[in-house]
């Protein structure tokens, strides 16, 4: 199997990272107005989405022909729950730009049968192969991408996964009651993520430094699902100085 050395861009701080990622996404959409983007949620991308909304409002980018496929959604969770990723995407992006509702896809946290939902979502990904994947690094030792927790295989595809205790702990900040963090999620698999033509892999903050080093310089294996990104020819790692401090 071939391994590649990703390009690594280290920027001063998280604001500079958000600006850089926004510029890359705008460039992608300008180069291909019907681009297909894979998108994350969580804390890292919030400012990037705010900058994309601004770019849209300033007439710098047009989402009318863009398609988005989100990485993951908690399961089970109601779409109307303020901590669901469906709600998050509406709040931070979908509600403010001219994406067409029929062109935005996210796993259904309300699906009764998560296996059937995984099959449905996988078919969507096959229909809409990503031009650009915007991928962020999970917390602590998880080294997760999407919700591919430790133990995830390189050839994994969309499926239900139990969440790592470290993920549940880190994501409790998004819930009024930490007990409410769902114990599982439906996520794109590692293979789904790697099928994007190009990938932006983003990490900010000192708390991501260990995981970034493990993912970029440690062995490529399931102990760090993010390490599988080194099997992809076109990955740009974008980190702030704090996240890159152990490289
Ligand atoms: C969310 C996702 C997760 C998060 C990751 C980092 O869609 O796929 O991999 O991106 O847990 O979360 P933050 O940015 O909150 O540190």
């Amino acid at each position: 199997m071939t391994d590649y050395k990703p390009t690594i861009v280290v920027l001063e701080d998280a604001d500079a990272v958000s600006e850089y990622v926004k510029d890359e996404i705008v460039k992608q959409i300008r180069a291909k107005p019907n681009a297909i983007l894979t998108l994350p949620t969580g804390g890292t991308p919030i400012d990037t989405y705010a900058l994309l909304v601004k770019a849209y409002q300033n007439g710098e980018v047009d989402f009318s022909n863009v398609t988005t496929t989100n990485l993951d959604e908690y399961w089970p969770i109601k779409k109307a729950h303020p901590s669901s990723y469906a709600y998050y995407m509406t709040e931070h992006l979908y509600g403010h730009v001219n994406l067409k509702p029929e062109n935005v896809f996210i796993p259904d946290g309300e699906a009764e049968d998560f296996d059937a939902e995984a099959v449905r979502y996988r078919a969507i990904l096959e229909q809409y192969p990503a031009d650009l994947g915007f991928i962020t690094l999970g917390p602590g030792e998880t080294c997760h991408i999407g919700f591919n927790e430790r133990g995830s295989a390189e050839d994994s595809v969309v499926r239900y996964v139990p969440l790592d205790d470290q993920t549940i702990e880190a994501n409790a900040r998004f819930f009024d009651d930490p007990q409410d963090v769902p114990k599982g999620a439906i996520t794109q698999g590692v293979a789904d993520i790697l099928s994007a033509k190009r990938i932006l892999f983003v990490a900010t903050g000192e708390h991501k430094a260990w995981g970034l080093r493990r993912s970029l310089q440690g062995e490529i294996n399931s102990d760090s699902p993010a390490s599988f990104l080194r099997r992809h020819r076109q990955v740009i790692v974008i980190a702030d100085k704090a996240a890159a401090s152990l490289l």
Side-chain angles (χ1 to χ4, degrees):
M1 225 165 287
T2 316
D3 305 341
Y4 301 95
K5 279 212 184 326
T7 303
I8 301 177
V9 177
V10 180
L11 300 169
E12 187 60 34
D13 54 23
D15 287 346
V17 169
S18 299
E19 194 73 45
Y20 188 103
V21 176
K22 179 269 291 178
D23 285 345
E24 284 294 318
I25 293 174
V26 168
K27 268 193 268 168
Q28 172 67 69
I29 297 172
R30 286 202 185 140
K32 187 178 177 200
N34 62 344
I36 300 169
L37 310 174
T38 292
L39 297 178
T41 56
T44 310
I46 289 178
D47 289 345
T48 301
Y49 292 143
L51 291 170
L52 282 171
V53 169
K54 230 187 248 174
Y56 165 71
Q57 289 167 344
N58 293 339
E60 291 163 38
V61 64
D62 172 16
F63 287 88
S64 60
N65 291 307
V66 171
T67 296
T68 64
T69 56
N70 261 76
L71 281 169
D72 42 27
E73 174 62 284
Y74 294 114
W75 190 95
I77 198 161
K78 295 274 180 221
K79 292 185 185 102
H81 191 294
S83 305
S84 77
Y85 288 162
Y87 189 101
Y88 170 110
M89 290 308 297
T90 302
E91 188 184 11
H92 293 292
L93 189 68
Y94 303 160
H96 311 283
V97 300
N98 63 339
L99 276 161
K100 296 197 179 103
E102 63 270 29
N103 291 345
V104 303
F105 299 98
I106 187 161
D108 182 359
E110 294 183 13
E112 265 173 45
D113 175 346
F114 54 63
D115 288 329
E117 174 55 14
V119 170
R120 184 193 73 89
Y121 201 64
R122 171 92 172 127
I124 288 169
L125 299 183
E126 277 170 348
Q127 193 182 343
Y128 298 101
D131 294 295
L132 184 66
F134 173 12
I135 308 297
T136 53
L137 175 64
E141 293 162 15
T142 66
C143 296
H144 74 212
I145 46 174
F147 276 137
N148 293 283
E149 302 288 16
R150 286 171 288 183
S152 295
E154 187 172 358
D155 61 0
S156 56
V157 296
V158 185
R159 68 207 186 286
Y160 170 83
V161 288
L163 293 176
D164 193 296
D165 288 344
Q166 290 188 26
T167 300
I168 292 173
E169 200 184 316
N171 287 10
R173 72 192 195 281
F174 295 114
F175 288 77
D176 287 341
D177 181 348
Q179 300 299 323
D180 287 348
V181 185
K183 302 285 180 281
I186 298 169
T187 185
Q188 293 196 24
V190 174
D192 300 314
I193 291 171
L194 292 181
S195 70
K197 287 199 192 88
R198 288 192 312 129
I199 292 175
L200 308 175
F201 179 44
V202 179
T204 56
E206 201 186 338
H207 63 300
K208 297 285 174 77
W210 184 90
L212 193 63
R213 182 175 64 175
R214 170 65 189 84
S215 303
L216 298 181
Q217 297 175 346
E219 268 186 58
I220 300 180
N221 61 30
S222 293
D223 292 342
S224 163
S227 68
F228 291 126
L229 292 172
R230 285 149 60 200
R231 302 273 202 228
H232 193 290
R233 191 188 286 273
Q234 286 208 64
V235 176
I236 307 180
V237 180
I238 305 142
D240 64 359
K241 279 188 176 163
S245 59
L246 298 177
L247 299 180

